[in-house]
Amino acid sequence: MHTKQRSVGQLFFRSVFNSSHGLLKQRMRDLVPVKQALLRDARKKYGSKEICKVTVDQAIGGMRNVFAMFYDASLLDAKTGITMRDYNIPELQEYLQKAENGHEPLPEALFWLLCTGDFPSEQEFADVQQEWKQRGQLDSQTQQFILNLPKQAHPMTMLSQTLLYLQKDSLFQQGYDQGKISKPQYWEYFYEDAMNLLAKLPRVAAMIYRHKYKNGEIISADENLDWAGNYAHMLGYNKFEVRECLRGYLSIHADHEGGNVSAHTTHLVGSALADPYLSYSAGVNGLAGPLHGLANQEVLKWLLEMREELGDNISNEKIQDYVLTTIREGRVIPGYGHAVLRYTDPRFIHQKEFAARHIKDDPLVNLTAQCYHVIPPVLKTIGKIQNPWPNVDAHSGVLLYHYGMREFQYYTVVFAVSRALGCMANLIWSRAFGLPIERPGSITLKWIEEKYGDNQNLK
């Protein structure tokens, strides 16, 4: 019995390291020791340097502007917005591969960039694309699991549960349980799980959509299409410009530095060596919160309510009054403002330009563009609002709505398909860097009073 178990373990060990001869994994094998050395050198030189001071108000107020985690793939700047491996949104659109006759960056190319820091060659891009096609099949048991999920469940619940179901296939978990993995090899197993998860994710997400909203009428994959284009096809949207919309959407939402709820949750759970399926299921649950991934639904709801109350051809003055009424009622203007940004979100501009290229005479799209000019000056008159400019959510839901996706609850699933790209790249590198379990300290009300209260000098 013992001999048989050892044989199975050895076969498993060999299968993992022979299962991926892709160019991306080869490139990362070259990069990992180089980046590990750079990190060791940075810690040696700067390990004692102070990044920031933390106030009691920051500790209580959600740790805003507390720079306390290492997340190497992307950075959020108040002026320039998100950069992924130091490239901004316009640069990603310019330099990443595109579909034939398309303008939008393709996620396969972006994932290469997130993992390596370099734009892929045509061969490297095609290699990732082919790997995802080979890894993307869903077996009949997984398909049946999705089709058995209760239709009254939220689509994000369905996605989280399916990721947990797929966890049975985690190569990291299997190898760790068998005691066959040493710490320097963790990243390779995380890589395999991450690639499998990403490859399957569009099929899972599309099947959830068809199961919940389209009477379980599943659309088979089209292997001639790219990752995002195939996702649009399996959802049931086959116009070229809809595929382009999803290509852009999935690329610009892919990462947003490490402190947002979905990325941070995935990173935190992964730091406990929970495999990518467990980690991203947790991240998806965070993304489902109304203050995170549901924001574009709130924008769309607000705009539709405005149109219902004020009709079409709304004047600038009526929009101004509607904004002020919304604020007087104690509500925020959805899609405007950002925790970090102090200028218009470049992702909003990206989508606005997409709409200008592809969409003519849509009242809701036109209203979105009108609000962009009208709302910021109104918000500037309100002193407590630091950023009156639109963020990405001010436009993303409007595009999905224009192309016929009226199932608002599903919008966050589209977001989740995108955000997996950044979260998976970070998980792989977190294990390659050997980052420890994340365990910040915490404080209590009594601690605050004892440390800073009137009686502190009496002790």
Side-chain angles (χ1 to χ4, degrees), residues 102-138:
H103 290 85
E104 299 300 310
L106 292 176
E108 300 96 319
L110 178 60
F111 187 68
W112 180 285
L113 175 69
L114 288 169
C115 286
T116 68
D118 299 317
F119 293 108
S121 67
E122 291 300 323
Q123 181 184 5
E124 291 164 343
F125 160 75
D127 195 70
V128 173
Q129 192 171 72
Q130 187 60 33
E131 268 211 77
W132 283 359
K133 289 178 181 180
Q134 292 172 348
R135 294 169 180 258
Q137 303 296 325
L138 297 181

Side-chain angles (χ1 to χ4, degrees), residues 12-26:
F12 167 78
F13 183 85
R14 287 200 301 270
S15 69
V16 170
F17 283 86
N18 292 331
S19 64
S20 177
H21 294 288
L23 298 178
L24 178 55
K25 193 168 187 181
Q26 292 177 28

Side-chain angles (χ1 to χ4, degrees), residues 235-295:
L235 288 171
Y237 299 95
N238 284 308
K239 288 185 177 179
F240 178 77
E241 66 184 69
V242 184
R243 294 174 184 169
E244 278 287 278
C245 179
L246 275 184
R247 288 164 181 144
Y249 186 109
L250 297 179
S251 293
I252 67 174
H253 286 80
D255 215 16
H256 204 226
E257 60 91 46
N260 67 78
V261 171
S262 54
H264 187 195
T265 301
T266 305
H267 174 80
L268 171 64
V269 176
S271 76
L273 295 188
D275 62 67
Y277 298 98
L278 294 172
S279 300
Y280 197 56
S281 177
V284 163
N285 293 339
L287 189 62
L291 297 183
H292 189 16
L294 275 64

Side-chain angles (χ1 to χ4, degrees), residues 51-313:
I51 296 175
C52 66
K53 294 182 179 180
V54 181
T55 65
V56 171
D57 192 51
Q58 286 175 306
I60 296 172
M63 297 188 288
R64 295 294 174 91
N65 296 316
V66 176
F67 300 98
M69 68 179 290
F70 177 67
Y71 190 96
D72 201 40
S74 63
L75 187 67
L76 184 58
D77 181 81
K79 294 181 179 180
T80 60
I82 188 68
T83 57
M84 302 185 200
R85 294 295 183 186
D86 299 324
Y87 295 99
N88 61 31
I89 296 298
E91 290 171 329
L92 297 180
Q93 184 173 18
E94 180 178 357
Y95 296 121
L96 290 174
Q97 277 83 356
K98 304 169 185 63
E100 185 177 358
N101 299 319
H103 290 85
E104 299 300 310
L106 292 176
E108 300 96 319
L110 178 60
F111 187 68
W112 180 285
L113 175 69
L114 288 169
C115 286
T116 68
D118 299 317
F119 293 108
S121 67
E122 291 300 323
Q123 181 184 5
E124 291 164 343
F125 160 75
D127 195 70
V128 173
Q129 192 171 72
Q130 187 60 33
E131 268 211 77
W132 283 359
K133 289 178 181 180
Q134 292 172 348
R135 294 169 180 258
Q137 303 296 325
L138 297 181
D139 59 40
S140 59
Q141 291 85 0
T142 302
Q143 295 182 48
Q144 197 58 50
F145 177 86
I146 296 171
L147 295 175
N148 286 338
L149 290 170
K151 290 188 177 182
Q152 64 269 31
H154 193 287
M156 288 293 278
T157 304
M158 293 181 173
L159 179 59
S160 178
Q161 289 181 323
T162 306
L163 288 170
L164 291 176
Y165 176 80
L166 289 172
Q167 194 269 344
K168 63 183 173 55
D169 301 323
S170 169
L171 297 177
F172 175 81
Q173 187 62 51
Q174 294 172 39
Y176 191 89
D177 286 348
Q178 294 179 14
K180 299 296 182 181
I181 312 176
S182 63
K183 190 173 181 179
Q185 297 165 334
Y186 286 173
W187 78 264
E188 298 207 43
Y189 287 83
F190 264 64
Y191 174 92
E192 295 295 335
D193 282 352
M195 289 288 279
N196 288 333
L197 187 155
L198 287 169
K200 291 175 170 58
L201 192 55
R203 298 180 193 231
V204 168
M207 184 167 284
I208 288 170
Y209 179 76
R210 302 297 299 185
H211 168 56
K212 183 172 176 66
Y213 300 112
K214 304 298 179 181
N215 299 315
E217 298 172 1
I218 307 305
I219 299 174
S220 298
D222 183 346
E223 300 296 349
N224 294 316
L225 291 170
D226 54 276
W227 189 76
N230 195 28
Y231 180 34
H233 162 75
M234 291 185 291
L235 288 171
Y237 299 95
N238 284 308
K239 288 185 177 179
F240 178 77
E241 66 184 69
V242 184
R243 294 174 184 169
E244 278 287 278
C245 179
L246 275 184
R247 288 164 181 144
Y249 186 109
L250 297 179
S251 293
I252 67 174
H253 286 80
D255 215 16
H256 204 226
E257 60 91 46
N260 67 78
V261 171
S262 54
H264 187 195
T265 301
T266 305
H267 174 80
L268 171 64
V269 176
S271 76
L273 295 188
D275 62 67
Y277 298 98
L278 294 172
S279 300
Y280 197 56
S281 177
V284 163
N285 293 339
L287 189 62
L291 297 183
H292 189 16
L294 275 64
N296 62 3
Q297 299 175 40
E298 296 299 316
V299 172
L300 193 52
K301 178 183 176 183
W302 186 76
L303 290 173
L304 291 171
E305 288 174 348
M306 184 195 300
R307 283 188 64 207
E308 183 176 354
E309 182 174 330
L310 302 179
D312 291 328
N313 300 315

